[in-house]
Amino acid sequence: MRLPGDPVRNSTPARLAGCQDAAASRQEALRGLAERHGVCVRPLALRRTDTVTGLTEVVEVPCGARLAAKCKPCAERNRRLRIQQIREGWHLADEPAVRPDRPGESDLDLVKTRAHLEFDRAAVHYEPMTPDARAERLAELDNRIAEVDEELAETDLRGRLTPKERDDRPRRARSTKRRHDSPDLPRLPVDPRTVGRAFAGKAGRTYRPSMLVTLTLDSHGQVHSHLRRGAYVVPCACGERHHPHDPKLGTPVDPAAYDYRRAALDAIHFARVLDRWWQNLRRAAGWNVQYAGAVELQRRLAPHAHFAVRGTLPRRLVNQVAAATYHQVWWPSFDEMVHTVDRPPVWNAELAGYVDPATGEPLPTWGEALDALEEPDARPAYVARLGRVDARGIAQGTKDAERSIRYVTKYVTKDLTEHAPANSGVQKAHADRLHAELAVLPCSPTCANWLFYGVQPDRSKPGLAPGRCTGKVHQRATLGFTGRRVLVSRQWSGKTLADHRADNRAWIRAALGDPEQEETPEKDRYRFELARPEDPDVLPLEHRLLRAVSERIRWRAQVRSLSATVPIQQAA
């Protein structure tokens, strides 16, 4: 019963007064219902035109977001697809069939035209002509090459034909000789097989176990931790026994002794270290090891990775490869900052480069700085290494296998920094110190932060501001790691995500008796264009969501009715 003077339920005064029983808005209820039934909450409206009949209609496609913060149903659908991909490829008994389609004659004609243009461009440098005529001829050929590349991009051919950017400078070669401070590894010829060993058991049974591997960076200093051994809680380095939700967990015991610089550099180059580890593991094992996993963020804000590995390897070999894996960063030295944010190097238009603000002397160019690394006693600017490695065997068809798959994909739908949110002042201060170190470190040869260390970035141009590089490495949302979050080897299951989606759709259509399954439309029959929300034939988002929720509920009821006779699999 509402007394006189009490705010009306769900009114603005009630919300301002902080009433606990204030109801949610209708839009929030609609969004929650859509998320419950797996309907995309931000679908894209496309206008589809049938070139045969001339019929034009507005259709909707899911946004395809990978993060739950943007669209939870699409992110969860992508996570289930990754689970299916890992499950199908983890314990394969036969080699996955990877048979790409043969290119058509029209595709080969485009590649042949591209080859002739590349030959003509190289021949221009040897033809007698004036510099202006040569530059004009090169620009004409580059425009023609760009047109052919656009036509190739519209074909079904995968990948790039040439690098994205043309670089006519000579390529620098580095020695592949191993470092003296790293152990040697056995190097065997890599057998093309991708399936691990099978072991014979009792009663004629065959076991084909695989592994779950976790790769972690080395320690950058002692941090507060919670380690339990049975019912016993191990004391932290600070002497206390922390509970699992202590706000100090993951933060340094002594922030002054914590090596934030090395933590930032390890995060920047962690993706390269992972690539090197898989190369070394395949060479040491002697066969083409396949993997599927994801990169996560630890509580100490350092990236680490969980991988499902097909087949088994001796743990001694895995640890040996981890101890011998490193990545050398052959950049100019960036140990000490020469310039500050207040007085950075300035651009000189006459010299077409940056000069010292005090003396006016030009800074060494990127090429000149790399020339200094050609000396015999030159050392890399940084060497990134792995830390601890945890590997354990997983048997096929067990609860442990399914639990491990969900463990690998548990954070796929979250942003990297959401893995270890800073909920306390101590954790926020730890993240701030790491981000401050990332803000002044160089992330690539073209990073503007090289001006801090007295070196002009590669392909320098006016307007560069050190400390304000737009690279993702320096953003608070990444904390240094900018590689791919989900890593799947090429011969894992023999299928791409698009293939898995097609399999799921084909099964559902066959089970429901969809006539579209029997009649496949021609490749170029339909034309699509993005429809604007203000177009008269595009309904408001709320109406489209209501219709999509009803359609999904009816569709799921129809699929559920078939579960008694046909086993149902996860649908895309």
Side-chain angles (χ1 to χ4, degrees), residues 316-371:
R316 180 179 179 182
L317 178 62
V318 173
N319 293 329
Q320 183 183 2
V321 171
T325 297
Y326 59 87
H327 170 64
Q328 299 185 114
V329 183
W330 287 100
W331 287 350
S333 177
F334 50 91
D335 293 334
E336 297 181 3
M337 294 179 59
V338 180
H339 303 282
T340 61
V341 179
D342 300 332
R343 295 198 63 189
V346 295
W347 176 263
N348 189 308
E350 296 180 358
L351 300 176
Y354 286 88
V355 299
D356 190 291
T359 63
E361 294 292 330
L363 301 183
T365 63
W366 182 256
E368 294 172 351
L370 292 184
D371 290 339

Side-chain angles (χ1 to χ4, degrees), residues 16 23 40 52 89 149 167 182 186 251 263 281 334 337 377 419 470 499 511 561:
L16 295 178
C40 176
V52 177
D149 287 343
D167 192 354
S182 297
T251 61
L281 184 65
F334 50 91
M337 294 179 59
D377 57 345
H419 303 173
T470 58
D499 296 333
S561 64

Side-chain angles (χ1 to χ4, degrees), residues 332-333 339 345 363-366 369 447-457:
S333 177
H339 303 282
L363 301 183
T365 63
W366 182 256
C447 181
N449 288 352
W450 282 111
L451 298 176
F452 279 139
Y453 306 96
V455 178
Q456 296 192 51

Side-chain angles (χ1 to χ4, degrees), residues 185-191 279-287 317:
L185 284 173
R187 184 162 184 172
L188 305 176
V190 180
D191 189 31
Q279 293 176 12
N280 293 341
L281 184 65
R282 287 167 173 169
R283 293 170 181 171
W287 54 285
L317 178 62

Side-chain angles (χ1 to χ4, degrees), residues 313-572:
L313 294 169
R315 291 188 180 181
R316 180 179 179 182
L317 178 62
V318 173
N319 293 329
Q320 183 183 2
V321 171
T325 297
Y326 59 87
H327 170 64
Q328 299 185 114
V329 183
W330 287 100
W331 287 350
S333 177
F334 50 91
D335 293 334
E336 297 181 3
M337 294 179 59
V338 180
H339 303 282
T340 61
V341 179
D342 300 332
R343 295 198 63 189
V346 295
W347 176 263
N348 189 308
E350 296 180 358
L351 300 176
Y354 286 88
V355 299
D356 190 291
T359 63
E361 294 292 330
L363 301 183
T365 63
W366 182 256
E368 294 172 351
L370 292 184
D371 290 339
L373 298 178
E374 301 295 337
E375 302 295 333
D377 57 345
R379 296 182 179 181
Y382 186 71
V383 179
R385 300 178 183 273
L386 282 176
R388 188 172 62 90
V389 178
D390 180 34
R392 58 191 183 95
I394 303 293
Q396 180 182 7
T398 60
K399 293 183 179 179
D400 199 15
E402 190 65 24
R403 190 185 305 113
S404 299
I405 294 175
R406 299 187 179 276
Y407 178 71
V408 170
T409 59
K410 63 178 179 179
Y411 287 136
V412 170
T413 62
K414 294 185 178 181
D415 199 0
L416 195 64
T417 53
E418 295 181 11
H419 303 173
N423 298 323
S424 64
V426 181
Q427 293 173 342
K428 292 179 181 177
H430 176 51
D432 291 340
R433 288 189 290 266
L434 179 60
H435 182 252
E437 194 68 37
L438 287 166
V440 297
L441 287 174
C443 62
S444 65
T446 58
C447 181
N449 288 352
W450 282 111
L451 298 176
F452 279 139
Y453 306 96
V455 178
Q456 296 192 51
D458 191 19
R459 298 185 178 90
S460 59
K461 57 184 179 181
L464 296 180
R468 297 182 180 179
C469 177
T470 58
K472 293 184 179 180
V473 164
H474 312 288
Q475 297 178 5
R476 185 63 179 267
T478 61
L479 288 180
F481 181 79
T482 57
R484 291 176 298 164
R485 289 275 310 283
V486 180
L487 304 171
V488 181
S489 56
R490 294 184 180 274
Q491 300 181 25
W492 175 254
S493 62
K495 300 179 182 179
T496 63
L497 287 182
D499 296 333
H500 287 290
R501 293 191 188 97
D503 292 344
N504 293 338
R505 293 193 183 101
W507 187 92
I508 288 294
R509 287 176 175 174
L512 297 179
D514 194 342
E516 294 184 6
Q517 176 70 15
E518 302 175 359
E519 182 180 353
T520 303
E522 294 83 357
K523 176 182 177 182
D524 298 328
R525 177 174 178 176
Y526 295 100
R527 293 288 183 267
F528 294 89
E529 62 177 352
L530 188 64
R532 298 178 179 273
E534 60 271 13
D535 290 347
D537 56 345
V538 178
L539 295 176
L541 177 61
E542 292 76 13
H543 290 275
R544 290 185 280 141
L545 285 182
L546 288 170
R547 185 175 58 187
V549 168
S550 176
E551 183 180 359
R552 179 59 60 89
I553 293 176
R554 298 169 187 269
W555 174 79
R556 282 189 171 177
Q558 187 177 3
V559 173
R560 229 179 267 117
S561 64
L562 301 173
S563 60
T565 57
V566 183
I568 300 296
Q569 71 179 30
Q570 290 283 357

Side-chain angles (χ1 to χ4, degrees), residues 60-134:
E60 295 180 358
V61 295
C63 66
R66 298 292 188 266
L67 300 179
K70 296 182 179 179
C71 181
K72 186 176 180 181
C74 288
E76 183 62 25
R77 188 180 299 111
N78 176 70
R79 190 183 74 88
R80 292 199 302 267
L81 204 62
R82 290 294 185 183
I83 291 176
Q84 177 184 347
Q85 185 182 34
I86 295 177
R87 185 187 295 117
E88 290 188 11
W90 199 358
H91 300 279
L92 285 181
D94 301 321
E95 295 290 339
V98 181
R99 300 185 182 91
D101 298 333
R102 296 180 62 86
E105 291 298 328
S106 59
D107 300 336
L108 294 178
D109 291 340
L110 282 176
V111 176
K112 182 173 63 175
T113 303
R114 182 66 173 82
H116 290 323
L117 290 173
E118 190 69 24
F119 180 86
D120 294 341
R121 193 184 189 281
V124 169
H125 295 281
Y126 300 95
E127 296 178 0
M129 61 179 65
T130 62
D132 294 340
R134 180 176 287 106

Side-chain angles (χ1 to χ4, degrees), residues 159-305:
R160 292 184 177 274
L161 187 62
T162 58
K164 185 177 181 180
E165 296 182 0
R166 181 181 296 274
D167 192 354
D168 295 331
R169 297 173 297 182
R171 185 176 180 181
R172 299 177 182 272
R174 299 292 178 189
S175 174
T176 58
K177 187 177 181 180
R178 294 192 59 81
R179 294 175 59 89
H180 298 291
D181 55 355
S182 297
D184 293 332
L185 284 173
R187 184 162 184 172
L188 305 176
V190 180
D191 189 31
R193 68 179 177 91
T194 64
V195 178
R197 287 182 56 192
F199 300 89
K202 297 181 179 179
R205 297 184 59 183
T206 302
Y207 297 91
R208 195 178 297 274
S210 295
M211 292 193 307
L212 178 67
V213 178
T214 301
L215 303 176
T216 310
L217 288 171
D218 200 1
S219 174
H220 307 120
Q222 292 183 337
V223 296
H224 295 283
S225 60
H226 171 80
L227 179 61
R228 181 183 294 274
R229 294 176 180 171
Y232 177 72
V233 178
V234 180
C236 176
C238 64
E240 301 180 7
R241 288 183 172 88
H242 301 287
H243 58 82
H245 305 288
D246 195 317
K248 293 182 181 180
L249 292 180
T251 61
V253 176
D254 183 8
Y258 194 81
D259 197 345
Y260 281 99
R261 177 183 174 82
R262 193 161 62 89
L265 290 173
D266 284 345
I268 293 174
H269 302 286
F270 183 63
R272 296 291 184 90
V273 178
L274 288 181
D275 291 340
R276 183 63 62 184
W277 190 80
W278 288 113
Q279 293 176 12
N280 293 341
L281 184 65
R282 287 167 173 169
R283 293 170 181 171
W287 54 285
N288 193 6
V289 182
Q290 299 297 302
Y291 59 89
V295 177
E296 301 174 1
L297 202 65
Q298 293 179 296
R299 282 182 172 178
R300 59 171 179 154
L301 304 183
H304 72 149

